[in-house]
Coordinates of all heavy atoms in Angstrom, one line a residue:
A1 N 0.8 -1.2 0.0 CA 0.0 0.0 -0.1 C 0.9 1.2 0.0 O 0.5 2.2 -0.6 CB -1.0 0.0 1.2
R2 N 2.0 1.3 0.7 CA 2.9 2.4 0.7 C 3.6 2.6 -0.6 O 3.9 3.7 -1.0 CB 4.0 2.2 1.8 CG 3.4 2.2 3.2 CD 4.4 1.9 4.3 NE 4.0 2.0 5.6 CZ 3.8 3.0 6.3 NH1 4.0 4.3 5.7 NH2 3.3 3.0 7.5
L3 N 3.7 1.5 -1.5 CA 4.4 1.6 -2.6 C 3.4 2.0 -3.9 O 3.8 2.2 -4.9 CB 5.0 0.2 -3.1 CG 6.1 -0.3 -2.2 CD1 6.4 -1.7 -2.7 CD2 7.2 0.6 -2.1
I4 N 2.2 2.3 -3.6 CA 1.1 2.6 -4.7 C 0.3 3.8 -4.3 O -0.8 3.9 -4.4 CB 0.3 1.3 -4.9 CG1 -0.4 0.9 -3.7 CG2 1.0 0.3 -5.6 CD1 -1.5 -0.2 -3.9
P5 N 1.0 4.9 -3.9 CA 0.3 6.2 -3.6 C -0.4 6.6 -5.0 O 0.2 6.6 -6.1 CB 1.5 7.1 -3.1 CG 2.7 6.6 -3.8 CD 2.6 5.2 -3.8
G6 N -1.5 7.1 -4.8 CA -2.3 7.7 -6.1 C -3.1 6.6 -6.8 O -3.7 7.0 -7.8
F7 N -2.9 5.4 -6.3 CA -3.7 4.3 -6.9 C -5.3 4.4 -6.5 O -5.5 4.5 -5.3 CB -3.1 2.9 -6.6 CG -2.1 2.4 -7.6 CD1 -1.2 3.3 -7.9 CD2 -2.1 1.1 -7.9 CE1 -0.1 2.8 -8.8 CE2 -1.1 0.6 -8.9 CZ -0.1 1.6 -9.3
S8 N -6.1 4.2 -7.4 CA -7.5 4.3 -7.0 C -7.9 2.6 -6.7 O -7.1 1.8 -7.0 CB -8.4 4.6 -8.3 OG -8.2 3.7 -9.4
G9 N -9.2 2.5 -6.4 CA -9.6 1.1 -6.1 C -9.5 0.3 -7.4 O -9.1 -0.9 -7.2
A10 N -9.9 0.8 -8.5 CA -9.8 0.1 -9.7 C -8.3 -0.3 -10.0 O -8.1 -1.4 -10.5 CB -10.4 0.8 -11.0
D11 N -7.4 0.6 -9.8 CA -6.0 0.4 -9.9 C -5.5 -0.8 -9.2 O -4.8 -1.6 -9.6 CB -5.2 1.7 -9.7 CG -5.3 2.8 -10.8 OD1 -5.6 2.5 -11.9 OD2 -5.2 3.9 -10.3
I12 N -6.0 -0.8 -8.0 CA -5.5 -1.9 -6.9 C -6.1 -3.3 -7.5 O -5.4 -4.2 -7.4 CB -5.9 -1.5 -5.6 CG1 -5.3 -0.2 -5.1 CG2 -5.6 -2.8 -4.6 CD1 -5.7 0.3 -3.8
M13 N -7.4 -3.2 -7.9 CA -7.9 -4.5 -8.5 C -7.1 -5.0 -9.7 O -6.9 -6.1 -9.8 CB -9.4 -4.2 -8.9 CG -10.1 -5.5 -9.5 SD -11.7 -5.2 -9.9 CE -11.5 -4.0 -11.3
N14 N -6.7 -4.0 -10.6 CA -5.9 -4.3 -11.8 C -4.6 -4.8 -11.3 O -4.1 -5.8 -12.0 CB -5.8 -3.2 -12.6 CG -7.2 -2.7 -13.3 OD1 -8.0 -3.6 -13.5 ND2 -7.2 -1.5 -13.7
L15 N -4.0 -4.3 -10.3 CA -2.7 -4.7 -9.8 C -2.8 -6.2 -9.3 O -1.9 -7.1 -9.7 CB -2.3 -3.8 -8.7 CG -0.8 -4.2 -8.0 CD1 -0.3 -2.8 -7.4 CD2 -1.1 -5.1 -6.8
V16 N -3.7 -6.5 -8.6 CA -3.9 -7.9 -8.1 C -4.2 -8.9 -9.2 O -3.5 -10.0 -9.3 CB -5.0 -8.1 -7.1 CG1 -5.2 -9.5 -6.6 CG2 -4.7 -7.2 -5.8
N17 N -5.0 -8.5 -10.3 CA -5.2 -9.3 -11.4 C -4.0 -9.6 -12.3 O -3.6 -10.7 -12.8 CB -6.3 -8.7 -12.3 CG -7.7 -8.7 -11.7 OD1 -7.8 -9.6 -10.7 ND2 -8.6 -7.9 -12.1
E18 N -3.2 -8.4 -12.4 CA -2.0 -8.6 -13.2 C -1.0 -9.4 -12.4 O -0.2 -10.2 -12.9 CB -1.2 -7.1 -13.4 CG -1.9 -6.3 -14.4 CD -1.6 -6.7 -15.7 OE1 -0.7 -7.6 -16.0 OE2 -2.2 -6.3 -16.8
A19 N -0.8 -9.3 -11.1 CA 0.0 -10.2 -10.2 C -0.3 -11.6 -10.4 O 0.6 -12.5 -10.6 CB -0.1 -9.7 -8.7
A20 N -1.6 -11.9 -10.5 CA -2.0 -13.3 -10.7 C -1.6 -13.8 -12.0 O -1.2 -14.9 -12.2 CB -3.5 -13.4 -10.4
L21 N -1.8 -13.0 -13.1 CA -1.4 -13.4 -14.4 C 0.1 -13.7 -14.5 O 0.5 -14.6 -15.1 CB -1.7 -12.4 -15.4 CG -3.2 -12.1 -15.7 CD1 -3.6 -11.1 -16.6 CD2 -3.8 -13.4 -16.3
I22 N 0.9 -12.8 -13.9 CA 2.3 -13.0 -13.9 C 2.8 -14.2 -13.1 O 3.6 -15.0 -13.6 CB 2.9 -11.8 -13.1 CG1 2.8 -10.5 -13.9 CG2 4.5 -11.9 -13.0 CD1 3.2 -9.3 -13.2
A23 N 2.0 -14.6 -12.1 CA 2.4 -15.8 -11.2 C 2.1 -17.0 -12.2 O 2.8 -17.9 -12.2 CB 1.6 -15.8 -10.0
V24 N 1.0 -16.9 -12.9 CA 0.6 -18.1 -13.9 C 1.7 -18.1 -15.0 O 2.2 -19.4 -15.2 CB -0.7 -17.9 -14.5 CG1 -1.0 -18.9 -15.5 CG2 -1.9 -17.9 -13.4
I25 N 2.0 -17.2 -15.6 CA 3.2 -17.1 -16.6 C 4.4 -17.7 -16.0 O 5.2 -18.5 -16.8 CB 3.4 -15.7 -17.1 CG1 2.1 -15.2 -17.9 CG2 4.5 -15.6 -18.1 CD1 2.1 -13.8 -18.4
R26 N 4.7 -17.5 -14.9 CA 6.0 -17.9 -14.2 C 5.9 -19.3 -13.7 O 6.9 -19.9 -13.0 CB 6.5 -17.0 -13.1 CG 6.8 -15.5 -13.7 CD 7.2 -14.6 -12.6 NE 7.7 -13.3 -13.1 CZ 8.1 -12.3 -12.4 NH1 8.1 -12.4 -11.0 NH2 8.3 -11.0 -12.9
N27 N 4.6 -19.9 -13.9 CA 4.4 -21.3 -13.3 C 4.7 -21.3 -11.8 O 5.2 -22.3 -11.2 CB 5.2 -22.3 -14.0 CG 5.1 -22.5 -15.4 OD1 3.9 -22.6 -15.8 ND2 6.1 -22.5 -16.2
L28 N 4.3 -20.3 -11.1 CA 4.2 -20.3 -9.6 C 3.0 -20.8 -9.0 O 1.8 -20.7 -9.6 CB 4.5 -18.9 -9.1 CG 5.8 -18.2 -9.6 CD1 5.9 -16.7 -9.1 CD2 7.0 -19.0 -9.1
D29 N 3.0 -21.4 -7.8 CA 1.7 -21.9 -7.2 C 1.0 -20.9 -6.5 O 0.0 -21.0 -6.0 CB 2.2 -23.0 -6.2 CG 2.8 -24.2 -6.8 OD1 2.4 -24.5 -8.0 OD2 3.7 -24.9 -6.2
E30 N 1.8 -19.7 -6.2 CA 1.1 -18.6 -5.5 C 1.7 -17.3 -6.0 O 2.8 -17.3 -6.6 CB 1.2 -18.8 -3.9 CG 2.6 -18.7 -3.6 CD 2.8 -19.1 -2.1 OE1 1.8 -19.5 -1.5 OE2 4.0 -18.8 -1.6
I31 N 1.0 -16.2 -5.7 CA 1.7 -14.9 -6.0 C 2.5 -14.5 -5.1 O 2.4 -14.5 -3.8 CB 0.4 -13.8 -6.0 CG1 -0.8 -14.1 -7.0 CG2 0.9 -12.4 -6.2 CD1 -1.8 -13.2 -7.0
S32 N 3.7 -14.1 -5.6 CA 5.0 -13.7 -4.8 C 4.9 -12.2 -4.7 O 4.3 -11.5 -5.4 CB 6.3 -14.3 -5.3 OG 6.5 -13.6 -6.6
R33 N 5.9 -11.8 -3.9 CA 6.1 -10.3 -3.7 C 6.6 -9.7 -5.0 O 6.2 -8.6 -5.4 CB 7.0 -9.9 -2.6 CG 7.3 -8.5 -2.3 CD 8.3 -8.4 -1.3 NE 8.6 -6.9 -1.0 CZ 9.6 -6.2 -1.6 NH1 10.4 -6.9 -2.4 NH2 9.8 -5.1 -1.3
D34 N 7.5 -10.4 -5.7 CA 8.1 -9.9 -6.9 C 6.8 -9.7 -8.0 O 7.0 -8.9 -8.8 CB 9.1 -10.8 -7.5 CG 10.4 -10.8 -6.7 OD1 10.5 -9.7 -6.0 OD2 11.2 -11.7 -6.7
C35 N 6.0 -10.7 -8.1 CA 4.8 -10.6 -8.8 C 4.0 -9.4 -8.8 O 3.6 -8.7 -9.7 CB 4.0 -11.9 -8.9 SG 4.7 -13.5 -9.2
V36 N 3.9 -9.1 -7.3 CA 3.1 -7.8 -7.1 C 3.9 -6.6 -7.5 O 3.2 -5.7 -8.1 CB 2.8 -7.7 -5.6 CG1 2.1 -6.5 -5.2 CG2 1.9 -9.0 -5.2
L37 N 5.1 -6.5 -7.3 CA 6.0 -5.3 -7.7 C 5.9 -5.2 -9.2 O 5.9 -4.0 -9.6 CB 7.4 -5.5 -7.2 CG 7.6 -5.5 -5.6 CD1 9.0 -5.6 -5.1 CD2 6.9 -4.3 -5.0
E38 N 6.1 -6.2 -9.9 CA 6.1 -6.1 -11.3 C 4.6 -5.6 -11.8 O 4.6 -5.0 -12.7 CB 6.4 -7.4 -12.0 CG 6.2 -7.5 -13.5 CD 7.1 -6.6 -14.2 OE1 8.1 -6.1 -13.8 OE2 6.6 -6.1 -15.4
A39 N 3.5 -6.2 -11.1 CA 2.3 -5.7 -11.5 C 2.1 -4.3 -11.2 O 1.4 -3.5 -12.1 CB 1.3 -6.5 -10.7
R40 N 2.7 -3.8 -10.1 CA 2.6 -2.4 -9.9 C 3.2 -1.6 -10.9 O 2.7 -0.5 -11.4 CB 3.4 -2.1 -8.5 CG 3.3 -0.7 -7.9 CD 4.2 0.2 -8.6 NE 5.5 -0.1 -8.5 CZ 6.4 0.2 -7.6 NH1 6.1 1.0 -6.7 NH2 7.7 -0.2 -7.7
D41 N 4.4 -2.0 -11.4 CA 5.0 -1.3 -12.5 C 4.3 -1.4 -13.8 O 4.2 -0.4 -14.5 CB 6.5 -1.7 -12.8 CG 7.4 -1.6 -11.7 OD1 7.0 -0.7 -10.7 OD2 8.5 -2.2 -11.5
R42 N 3.6 -2.4 -14.0 CA 2.7 -2.5 -15.3 C 1.6 -1.6 -15.2 O 1.4 -0.9 -16.2 CB 2.3 -3.9 -15.4 CG 3.3 -4.9 -15.8 CD 2.6 -6.2 -16.2 NE 3.6 -7.3 -16.6 CZ 3.3 -8.6 -17.1 NH1 2.0 -8.9 -17.1 NH2 4.2 -9.2 -17.5
V43 N 0.8 -1.4 -14.0 CA -0.3 -0.6 -13.9 C 0.2 0.9 -14.0 O -0.6 1.6 -14.7 CB -1.0 -0.9 -12.6 CG1 -2.2 0.0 -12.4 CG2 -1.6 -2.4 -12.6
A44 N 1.2 1.2 -13.3 CA 1.7 2.6 -13.4 C 2.4 3.0 -14.5 O 2.2 4.3 -15.0 CB 2.7 2.8 -12.1
F45 N 3.2 2.1 -15.2 CA 4.0 2.6 -16.3 C 3.8 1.9 -17.6 O 4.3 2.2 -18.7 CB 5.6 2.6 -15.9 CG 5.9 3.2 -14.7 CD1 6.0 2.7 -13.5 CD2 6.1 4.6 -14.6 CE1 6.3 3.2 -12.3 CE2 6.3 5.3 -13.5 CZ 6.5 4.7 -12.4
G46 N 3.0 0.7 -17.6 CA 2.8 0.0 -18.8 C 3.6 -1.3 -18.7 O 4.6 -1.5 -18.0

């Protein structure tokens, strides 16, 4: 939450969805912190 200032509720929902997709692509059993950070960058910067 501290890493995503200015995010709306929709942005946060997109972040979690992107993190889940990244975890699937990486063949992970669960969403890791790295997945969330990469998802944050995707939502914020593309």
Side-chain angles (χ1 to χ4, degrees):
R2 292 180 182 277
L3 297 177
I4 52 175
F7 271 43
S8 65
D11 291 331
I12 296 173
M13 180 182 68
N14 290 337
L15 181 149
V16 175
N17 290 339
E18 284 286 351
L21 290 173
I22 293 170
V24 171
I25 292 173
R26 296 179 179 179
N27 293 319
L28 301 177
D29 295 329
E30 59 186 15
I31 297 175
S32 65
R33 179 177 179 275
D34 287 341
C35 293
V36 176
L37 294 181
E38 171 60 24
R40 187 280 306 266
D41 292 345
R42 286 189 181 185
V43 173
F45 304 103

